[in-house]
Amino acid sequence: MKKRLMIVSIIMSLLLVAVFLLAISWGSYTMSIGEVVSTLFGGGSKLQSTTIFDIRLPRICVAMVVAVCLSTSGCVLQSVTRNELAEPGMIGINAGAALAVVLLISSGQTTYYSTIGDASLFVMPIVAIVGSLISGLLIYRLSYKKGVSPTRLILTGIGVNVGINAFISLYQLNMAQGDYNQVLTWISGSLWGSSWKFFYLITPLALIFLGLTIWKSKILDVLDLGDEIAIGLGVKVEKERKILFIYAITLAALATSVAGNIAFLGLLGPQVAKRLVGPVHRRQIPMAAIVSCIIVLFADSISRNVFSPIEIPVGITIAIVGVPYFIYLMLKE
């Protein structure tokens, strides 16, 4: 297993480097790999430095943090619910954050990223977390009946997700055309407008909750075995489930606060990682993060360039891949 893990880790790391170079070099101003490497190490022209350090690199860094947050959240939810189909976009957690952020953006004079004030920008992750916590609390409360059944939790989450999205659609009907289109793009999952501010906003909290989740990786392994075995091994199942649920909610909210509602990423990364390195979480969580980074960077490169000058939301590109895989998992279940 150690040899297989090492080989898989090396291959996936090289693939991530390749996708990173693709994302940073491909655009309306295309650069060669040599020019990219030279610019990253201090060479290159002013135009090349501006293109990489002010435009593409912050977007790539934000995308990778978002990928890590959503993949880790997906790993946790799939163990807590013992359902391979669970992910934050499907059970209403992302939708709760999206609703809260849409309300925040729309409360100002405009919804456009370029003119959002710094105060609103720094409040955004907090509002997203509050929105996710409210939707998560609602899901947990509605699914509680002498304890929380994993099946009831996920079915309740799907219902809450539909309800929140319906409310967002209703709210959008009262917006001006420009605001409607902009918010629609955002809640579809978009990295447009990403900057270093967004990266500095979410990275510290993301690292904290990623560390806490990895620290609980053995608990996640035990929860995968079922409640009766977990209780028999001395795990306080309800308490641990609540704690891990909060971790998953917070990570998903951080991602949604800067990239909108990117569905299926929390499903794809953990599932592919499990097939590559097995279900042990101390291996699955880091591998899911690498796989998700590869997916989101490649999808974002496609979204930015294939239909240029029009940019489609990265969430739509990921969904095009994710929906067939989701159907495959449902049929397999």
Side-chain angles (χ1 to χ4, degrees):
M1 185 65 192
K2 286 184 178 179
K3 185 178 179 181
R4 173 186 166 85
L5 177 63
M6 185 178 295
I7 293 172
V8 169
S9 299
I10 291 172
I11 292 174
M12 297 308 292
S13 298
L14 290 175
L15 191 56
L16 177 58
V17 172
V19 175
F20 173 84
L21 291 173
L22 172 72
I24 204 167
S25 61
W26 188 19
S28 55
Y29 172 57
T30 300
M31 301 168 64
S32 69
I33 300 301
E35 289 172 334
V36 169
V37 174
S38 173
T39 306
L40 287 174
F41 285 96
S45 65
K46 185 176 180 181
L47 175 61
Q48 290 168 339
S49 295
T50 301
T51 302
I52 289 181
F53 291 109
D54 294 343
I55 299 173
R56 293 181 188 169
L57 197 55
R59 180 169 178 146
I60 290 171
C61 290
V62 170
M64 292 176 72
V65 176
V66 166
V68 171
C69 287
L70 289 178
S71 66
T72 306
S73 178
C75 286
V76 172
L77 288 175
Q78 285 167 24
S79 292
V80 168
T81 63
R82 294 207 309 277
N83 190 317
E84 291 190 347
L85 304 178
E87 65 103 21
M90 189 178 69
I91 67 170
I93 295 174
N94 285 4
L99 175 61
V101 174
V102 166
L103 292 175
L104 172 69
I105 293 174
S106 301
S107 66
Q109 295 180 347
T110 177
T111 60
Y112 291 86
Y113 270 130
S114 58
T115 51
I116 292 174
D118 283 347
S120 296
L121 193 66
F122 281 92
V123 168
M124 200 179 292
I126 298 173
V127 170
I129 292 171
V130 172
S132 290
L133 285 173
I134 291 174
S135 65
L137 182 64
L138 182 63
I139 294 166
Y140 199 88
R141 183 66 188 90
L142 290 176
S143 60
Y144 191 88
K145 187 178 181 182
K146 297 178 181 178
V148 174
S149 157
T151 303
R152 197 161 52 235
L153 181 68
I154 196 167
L155 290 176
T156 304
I158 292 171
V160 170
N161 186 41
V162 173
I164 292 176
N165 280 314
F167 186 80
I168 291 175
S169 300
L170 183 64
Y171 189 79
Q172 285 178 284
L173 293 176
N174 295 318
M175 292 180 174
Q177 184 66 39
D179 291 350
Y180 177 89
N181 292 335
Q182 193 70 18
V183 170
L184 183 63
T185 301
W186 189 82
I187 63 175
S188 298
S190 174
L191 292 164
W192 182 83
S194 296
S195 67
W196 287 120
K197 286 182 180 178
F198 288 4
F199 177 75
Y200 296 136
L201 271 173
I202 64 170
T203 301
L205 276 177
L207 289 174
I208 290 171
F209 280 92
L210 176 64
L212 290 172
T213 305
I214 291 176
W215 186 56
K216 291 278 187 182
S217 58
K218 289 185 179 177
I219 298 293
L220 287 167
D221 292 340
V222 175
L223 288 177
D224 272 347
L225 301 175
D227 289 359
E228 291 182 358
I229 295 177
I231 292 170
L233 292 172
V235 174
K236 296 178 180 177
V237 172
E238 282 302 320
K239 178 184 174 184
E240 296 294 346
R241 185 171 281 147
K242 283 181 185 176
I243 292 172
L244 289 164
F245 199 52
I246 289 173
Y247 291 174
I249 289 171
T250 306
L251 287 166
L254 289 170
T256 308
S257 68
V258 296
N261 187 6
I262 299 179
F264 294 110
L265 193 58
L267 172 72
L268 293 173
Q271 288 301 316
V272 174
K274 185 181 286 187
R275 281 153 181 76
L276 290 174
V277 298
V280 178
H281 284 85
R282 72 172 185 276
R283 294 195 292 264
Q284 186 194 5
I285 291 173
M287 183 54 66
I290 293 175
V291 171
S292 297
C293 286
I294 293 170
I295 292 171
V296 77
L297 290 184
F298 186 72
D300 190 46
S301 298
I302 297 292
S303 300
R304 284 188 294 114
N305 296 301
V306 171
F307 299 100
S308 180
I310 297 172
E311 177 179 327
I312 59 174
V314 66
I316 292 177
T317 307
I318 293 174
I320 291 172
V321 178
V323 168
Y325 191 68
F326 181 75
I327 293 171
Y328 162 75
L329 286 177
M330 284 184 63
L331 293 174
K332 191 179 174 185
E333 283 288 302

